Amino acid sequence: MTTPLKQTFLSLLSKYSSDQLFINELWEEVEYSYSNVGRHYHTLMHLENILEQLTAIHDKIDNWNAMLFTLFYHDIVYDTLIGDNEEQSADVALKQMQRLGITEEICQIVIKQIIATKAHEIAEDSDTNYFLDADLSILGQSFDLYTKYFKDVRKEYSIYLDDVYNPGRLKVLKHLISMDRIFKTAYFCDKFELQARDNIKREIELLSVK
């Protein structure tokens, strides 16, 4: 079955290659990577959510094709035991884009956007900020969806005991809640900021009583 996510990927690559075997090979790499047994949140569903958020603001995006490459490759390498997932993901993206003959300009945009997901700091260009906000949009979903998200993230870090994981998670959450704005763009801030702050506060309370 061809899902909207897969169709988006196939349509994107068909702009650069007519080799269907090659295109399918690259899709299978994406599908395999995001379906890895160790993944619970950083899955194809995560990509689907980001795609949905970005599609709603398609007209605000300056380079849509670059944004899509960033979407599909930003978490293609994800291992909770290493600290350079973003750099490795950018390397994979660059390798495959070069095989597709993508322009150097687009390649550099994608690399920059993928690396930006490491620190999630405000960027100089709006496309990167829109992507970073879409990447964090789960924070502002309903508390039921948010609960599933933080439980799935915990599963990805199951190698760590609570007395190691919880302080680290609390540090991240308290950093987010201390920011003037979690979301960098007006669009996502208006849409998700209040709910995100409420969700984060509730998770902090849950972790603090453990």
Side-chain angles (χ1 to χ4, degrees), residues 41 135-142 146 149 169 173 176 182-183 192-193 195-200 203:
Y41 172 68
D135 191 30
L136 292 183
S137 60
I138 187 63
L139 300 179
Q141 303 283 348
S142 71
Y146 180 85
Y149 145 73
R169 179 68 178 174
L173 296 173
L176 286 170
I182 295 170
F183 295 96
F192 291 124
E193 186 80 16
Q195 182 66 49
R197 289 187 174 277
D198 183 64
N199 289 339
I200 292 169
E203 186 185 357

Side-chain angles (χ1 to χ4, degrees), residues 171-182 197 200:
K171 182 179 179 180
V172 171
L173 296 173
K174 289 178 179 178
H175 169 70
L176 286 170
I177 210 75
S178 72
M179 297 170 67
D180 291 335
R181 278 175 38 164
I182 295 170
R197 289 187 174 277
I200 292 169

Side-chain angles (χ1 to χ4, degrees), residues 32-51:
Y32 175 81
S33 298
Y34 285 90
S35 302
N36 186 286
V37 67
R39 296 193 186 216
H40 301 277
Y41 172 68
H42 294 87
T43 63
L44 293 172
M45 188 175 296
H46 172 53
L47 299 190
E48 289 169 359
N49 178 58
I50 297 177
L51 178 60

